Amino acid sequence: IKLDNIGRITIPMEIRKKLHINNKDNIRITINNKIICIEKIKKNNNCCICLKTECTNKIGNKNICNDCIKHLKENINK
């Protein structure tokens, strides 16, 4: 796989099938000891602000994690 002229890659179809990644799915890209990791994020469980999947709270029809709630509370009157 090669980077294109602006740094993008295309994930090959066989890898997308193995990971059950479809068009418009949310994915998380992280670095672990110089290894790039790609992970599919379940759309209904992730925070709508930062995309974390842990500690989400349902507010209306949105999920928001505890860290984002704390950040919003700290900055609401600034």
Side-chain angles (χ1 to χ4, degrees):
I1 301 174
K2 291 183 181 181
L3 294 175
D4 71 7
N5 60 348
I6 60 171
R8 296 176 298 192
I9 63 167
T10 300
I11 302 170
M13 179 63 76
E14 59 272 8
I15 293 174
R16 287 183 280 148
K17 283 183 179 179
K18 284 182 182 178
L19 295 174
H20 305 285
I21 295 174
N22 300 304
N23 290 343
K24 304 211 178 189
D25 281 347
N26 290 316
I27 61 169
R28 176 181 293 130
I29 300 174
T30 56
I31 300 172
N32 187 0
N33 294 325
K34 296 185 180 182
I35 297 172
I36 297 171
C37 302
I38 299 173
E39 172 188 12
K40 180 178 176 178
I41 299 173
K42 292 182 180 178
K43 204 170 190 178
N44 15 344
N45 296 333
N46 58 310
C47 175
C48 66
I49 298 171
C50 70
L51 300 180
K52 286 183 189 173
T53 56
E54 63 275 357
C55 301
T56 57
N57 303 282
K58 196 80 162 171
I59 299 178
N61 63 348
K62 303 288 184 188
N63 290 323
I64 302 178
C65 73
N66 291 335
D67 291 339
C68 287
I69 290 173
K70 180 181 175 186
H71 181 75
L72 290 169
K73 284 180 180 179
E74 290 171 352
N75 292 287
I76 198 157
N77 292 321
K78 287 187 177 181

